[in-house]
Amino acid sequence: MRRILIVDTTLRDGAQSPQVTFSVEGKVRFAQQLERLKVDVIDAGYPALSAEERAAVERIAQSVSSTTVMALAHGDEVEIEVAAKALAQAPKKRIHLYIPVSDIHRRYLLRGGERDEVLKTSIALVEKAVSLADEVEFTPGDAARADEGFLKEVCCGVEEAGATVINLSDTVGVAIPSKWYRVVKGVVDALKGNAVVSSHCHDDLGLASANSLSAIEAGASQIHGTIGGVGTRAGNAAIEEIAVALKIWGEELGVECLLNLKEIYPTSRLLTMLTGCMLPSHKAVVGDLAFVHTIEEHRMAVVKDHRAVQIVDPQSIGRPSSRTPITRYAGRMMFEQKVHELGYTLSEGQLSKAYQLFSSIAWKKSDVTDADVAAIVEEVISEHGSEWELVSFSISMESGCAPRAKVSLRRGEVEVEEEAEGNGPVDAAFKAVERATETTARLVDFSVRALTYGKDALGEAIVRVKLGNRERVGRAVRTDVVEAAIRAFLKAIDE
Ligand SMILES: [Zn+2]
């Protein structure tokens, strides 16, 4: 069986999505989760970009125990040195070089670099990087639109120079599976076999995962992707889609992928928690509705044998089951057992908080499902000792008048009450909170969604604010979405 290596690039390419904002701390937590997911390589970032990016790559390199950490360097030797320095403490260091090779990208992104110049620079940069890292990955950018002869020339040149991985990038997401197969196969056949061939696909045609699988069939042994397929424009290939496809079809394709599938769903939830990015509910594998059946016959079939209508058991990818709801009468022991069953480990203090929150929610909701318990636990885990506490709030609305919100907050011994008007109830509440806390946070984005099904579903609110020039994210779940929104806002400004 040929082993397929997985490179997670959520922290670099994924973070180019305007919906994905990580703090340095958040990046470290996410990288540690990627290690539990058992990805082979963590694409940690582009250290030459900024001091913050550099700090994040350094922290990730220090925080993982066995996974290879990769850092990007674009065009020159200084960037390679910066990347190597940031990776110094990684268990295994990989430097990633990126150079566009299609004519259109050479013209507009390299400011007129001629083909022979591009080839010479690529070889020189690889030679430099080889002396500073355990592994060197070279990406010929926009490979799908490059002249195939020139692409092969560059790939053979950098293989000769010592690149250990050649990562063909469909930078603009234009490829279809048959085309991408030909491009990858062409390079695999042209190389001497010293370098691993890799594929990096974008989803502009909704084909990134399909193209990645085509690349595997063509002989690629490494795939780049992001969790939930997040990324610039339409995003990247979704790691979870490829991993589940390989679980189903790996044997037939003669390949295997050693990802720890049980950690797929927790990783996608952590992404939402840390960045505020909500994945589309119909997204394959990780979307909220990906395993919801509406056809009665299918529902009955799932109960008898899920394989009849479901290609994968949701619990095998770490999704909490909603088959055994717990009721409001559940005691602390039963709650604790459920938390344990879902794979969470909480401290005594966290457990008490989670139970308290569970009890208050359970009285407003007929059944508390596993997904609800998971959301409650995640809220408690993500708390970071916020200063402000919501004591109470009220909203008054009448048609023809602007909604008014009154909030009462507590910080230590001090209790503050403020009122404000707004365009809607949530806007009014945010304004009242701003007055009470005397912050000048600028709201960047606010979203709310039902976490589970039914009229008493738990609502999850995610608030993204800008304080100074830093973006912060807050998240909260409650049965009442206005309350969830206020709590999420308080978390965001308190972080
Ligand atoms: Zn990309």
Side-chain angles (χ1 to χ4, degrees):
M1 291 287 244
R2 183 159 54 95
R3 165 104 187 270
I4 303 300
L5 304 172
I6 301 292
V7 176
D8 179 279
T9 182
T10 309
L11 291 168
R12 185 186 62 79
D13 231 19
Q16 287 177 9
S17 157
Q19 284 190 312
V20 176
T21 312
F22 280 103
S23 63
V24 172
E25 210 47 56
K27 283 187 176 179
V28 173
R29 270 187 71 189
F30 194 74
Q32 288 168 331
Q33 174 60 27
L34 289 175
E35 192 158 53
R36 282 190 282 276
L37 180 63
K38 292 205 178 345
V39 302
D40 300 281
V41 181
I42 296 170
D43 187 358
Y46 177 27
L49 186 69
S50 67
E52 191 176 320
E53 185 88 351
R54 198 151 54 242
V57 176
E58 277 168 17
R59 290 276 314 279
I60 291 167
Q62 291 159 3
S63 315
V64 298
S65 59
S66 58
T67 314
T68 302
V69 182
M70 181 162 87
L72 178 67
H74 263 297
D76 61 41
E77 300 206 349
V78 177
E79 289 199 359
I80 295 178
E81 281 162 14
V82 172
K85 228 170 130 192
L87 289 174
Q89 301 199 46
K92 222 183 207 179
K93 311 175 227 332
R94 182 184 290 190
I95 290 179
H96 179 203
L97 302 167
Y98 181 99
I99 295 192
V101 292
S102 67
D103 288 346
I104 187 165
H105 272 205
R106 281 193 303 106
R107 189 171 317 131
Y108 295 108
L109 304 178
L110 266 187
R111 291 181 216 94
E114 291 305 319
R115 284 189 185 177
D116 56 344
E117 214 177 299
V118 168
L119 177 62
K120 256 201 319 218
T121 314
S122 302
I123 291 172
L125 293 178
V126 169
E127 281 169 349
K128 166 81 181 178
V130 163
S131 65
L132 295 173
D134 303 311
E135 297 167 355
V136 173
E137 178 162 331
F138 179 86
T139 297
D142 201 18
R145 294 191 295 178
D147 173 86
E148 289 188 21
F150 178 57
L151 174 65
K152 285 179 203 166
E153 204 182 331
V154 172
C155 292
C156 293
V158 296
E159 183 190 43
E160 189 74 38
T164 46
V165 181
I166 292 169
N167 175 49
L168 302 170
S169 171
D170 179 15
T171 311
V172 295
V174 70
I176 56 173
S178 52
K179 161 76 181 173
W180 198 232
Y181 180 93
R182 284 198 303 278
V183 172
V184 176
K185 182 91 170 55
V187 171
V188 169
D189 291 345
L191 292 176
K192 290 197 175 128
N194 299 329
V196 168
V197 174
S198 167
S199 160
H200 176 110
C201 291
H202 278 271
D203 211 27
D204 298 69
L205 291 174
L207 294 170
S209 296
N211 289 342
S212 306
L213 291 164
S214 253
I216 291 173
E217 286 193 82
S221 296
Q222 180 187 281
I223 295 297
H224 277 216
T226 62
I227 299 299
V230 294
T232 187
R233 306 186 312 275
N236 291 51
I239 284 181
E240 67 279 1
E241 291 173 4
I242 296 163
V244 170
L246 289 181
K247 181 177 162 59
I248 298 170
W249 297 104
E251 214 173 303
E252 194 165 317
L253 298 176
V255 299
E256 63 178 348
C257 150
L258 301 183
L259 230 54
N260 179 5
L261 295 186
K262 273 251 171 217
E263 292 296 335
I264 282 184
Y265 188 70
T267 311
S268 76
R269 290 296 306 152
L270 186 66
L271 176 71
T272 298
M273 270 205 299
L274 294 175
T275 69
C277 173
M278 291 201 185
L279 300 175
S281 51
H282 61 275
K283 185 75 182 159
V285 185
V286 291
D288 288 343
L289 301 179
F291 294 91
V292 172
H293 296 273
T294 48
I295 302 166
E296 192 50 35
E297 287 91 333
H298 285 202
R299 284 193 204 205
M300 281 154 65
V302 168
V303 177
K304 288 180 193 138
D305 187 342
H306 75 86
R307 288 173 302 182
V309 287
Q310 243 170 223
I311 56 170
V312 59
D313 176 4
Q315 280 159 68
S316 72
I317 50 162
R319 292 182 74 116
S321 103
S322 16
R323 284 180 216 151
T324 47
I326 55 175
T327 69
R328 64 186 61 156
Y329 304 107
R332 190 177 148 127
M333 279 260 286
M334 208 166 167
F335 178 76
E336 193 175 339
Q337 203 182 335
K338 184 56 103 185
V339 169
H340 198 71
E341 222 177 271
L342 294 175
Y344 294 101
T345 315
L346 300 185
S347 69
E348 250 333 282
Q350 284 175 325
L351 194 64
S352 299
K353 268 193 181 166
Y355 182 65
Q356 229 175 18
L357 184 52
F358 159 76
S359 305
S360 70
I361 285 170
W363 282 103
K364 296 177 192 151
K365 220 174 164 307
S366 46
D367 282 332
V368 180
T369 63
D370 285 4
D372 293 328
V373 175
I376 290 167
V377 169
E378 283 168 5
E379 168 152 346
V380 171
I381 293 174
S382 69
E383 259 170 19
H384 34 67
S386 45
E387 273 188 38
W388 290 99
E389 200 188 315
L390 177 66
V391 180
S392 65
F393 74 98
S394 65
I395 306 280
S396 54
M397 281 171 81
E398 206 181 315
S399 55
C401 300
R404 272 195 90 71
K406 192 195 271 182
V407 299
S408 167
L409 306 178
R410 189 186 300 130
R411 179 165 63 173
E413 301 290 295
V414 188
E415 209 167 302
V416 191
E417 202 174 272
E418 276 293 348
E419 278 183 64
E421 271 184 7
N423 294 327
V426 172
D427 183 49
F430 286 176
K431 286 193 171 125
V433 170
E434 270 177 46
R435 276 188 196 161
T437 56
E438 291 174 21
T439 45
T440 47
R442 193 169 63 79
L443 185 66
V444 178
D445 194 23
F446 162 65
S447 53
V448 61
R449 65 165 176 179
L451 262 189
T452 43
Y453 250 0
K455 61 180 176 9
D456 57 358
L458 209 51
E460 176 180 50
I462 292 191
V463 170
R464 196 193 300 271
V465 298
K466 205 155 191 179
L467 272 175
N469 48 21
R470 297 192 65 178
E471 266 190 30
R472 289 140 193 259
V473 174
R475 169 192 172 275
V477 290
R478 287 295 184 281
T479 45
D480 172 6
V481 290
V482 178
E483 183 182 346
I486 297 173
R487 290 183 183 277
F489 188 74
L490 275 173
K491 282 187 183 178
I493 61 172
D494 239 5
E495 203 190 325

